[in-house]
Every structure is written in C-alpha cells, then in structure tokens.
Amino acid sequence: MTDDVDRVFKALADASRRALLDDLFREPGQTLGALASRLAMTRQAVSQHLAVLEAANLVATARRGREKLHYLNPVPIHEAHARWIAKFERPRLDALAELKQRLEGDRDG
C-alpha cells in the first residue's frame, strides 16, 4: 500500500506529468503522438512520463489496432485525497461549522 501511494505522489510531483493528466482528463483516449504534439514534448519524453504514470496506476491503456490509447485513471488520486488530504481539511471545516453555529446562535439571542 505504501509503495502505491509513494508512486502516486512521485508521479504527481512532476509538472509535466500533471499536464499529461490534465490533458487526458480533457480528452480521454489519446495516442502518444497526440499527447506529444499537444504538450510540445518529444515523443520519448512523453513516453517516459507515461511510464511513470502507468506504474502509479494513474494512466490506463487500451489497444486499438496498432494504436495505444491512454486514459486517466482517477482512482489513485481519489485514494490519496481520502488518505492524506481530506483528514487535514476536517479540523478546519469543523472549526468553520462551529463558528457558524456560534454566530447564528448570537442572532437568535
């Protein structure tokens, strides 16, 4: 489990990989060539970034004839959010809810 989360955070740490994920979010099912042309990267650079994203399970692929299509897999991002980000939001949201309750309570008095 830790290795999986480490791979996700490592993959997301790079701006070029995040750009690839954004592009796949906007337009799923792109080929290596299409991704390279959209992001002004060499095919080799895109291929290396996609390999890291695939290892982190952030990108899934499907063959269509000779083409390999790439799709965003948002599940690992959701899991990272649930495990690492959401828990840090809870105290702040609880504090805001408590403040709202106190302020609204003052209006009733």
Side-chain angles (χ1 to χ4, degrees):
M1 173 72 172
T2 301
D3 289 342
D4 293 340
V5 173
D6 289 345
R7 279 192 286 271
V8 169
F9 279 113
K10 178 183 175 188
L12 294 175
D14 184 89
S16 296
R17 289 192 283 270
R18 291 191 308 272
L20 282 168
L21 293 175
D22 286 339
D23 201 31
L24 290 172
F25 175 79
R26 282 188 295 277
E27 188 175 329
Q30 294 186 59
T31 63
L32 174 63
L35 288 165
S37 68
R38 282 194 167 88
L39 296 173
M41 288 185 195
T42 65
R43 289 173 61 97
Q44 182 179 7
V46 172
S47 181
Q48 290 172 349
H49 286 301
L50 286 171
V52 173
L53 292 169
E54 286 182 56
N57 200 26
L58 290 165
V59 169
T61 61
R63 290 270 180 198
R64 184 178 67 193
R66 291 178 27 205
E67 293 181 317
K68 184 177 181 182
L69 304 177
H70 299 84
Y71 297 88
L72 169 66
N73 176 16
V75 173
I77 295 171
H78 174 75
E79 290 171 345
H81 178 269
R83 171 69 177 93
W84 290 101
I85 298 166
K87 71 179 177 185
F88 295 107
E89 292 175 347
R90 267 184 239 127
R92 186 174 28 174
L93 294 174
D94 289 345
L96 288 173
E98 183 181 326
L99 177 61
K100 179 180 182 263
Q101 209 171 23
R102 280 189 303 198
L103 292 172
E104 288 175 349
D106 289 346
R107 274 194 247 146
D108 293 338

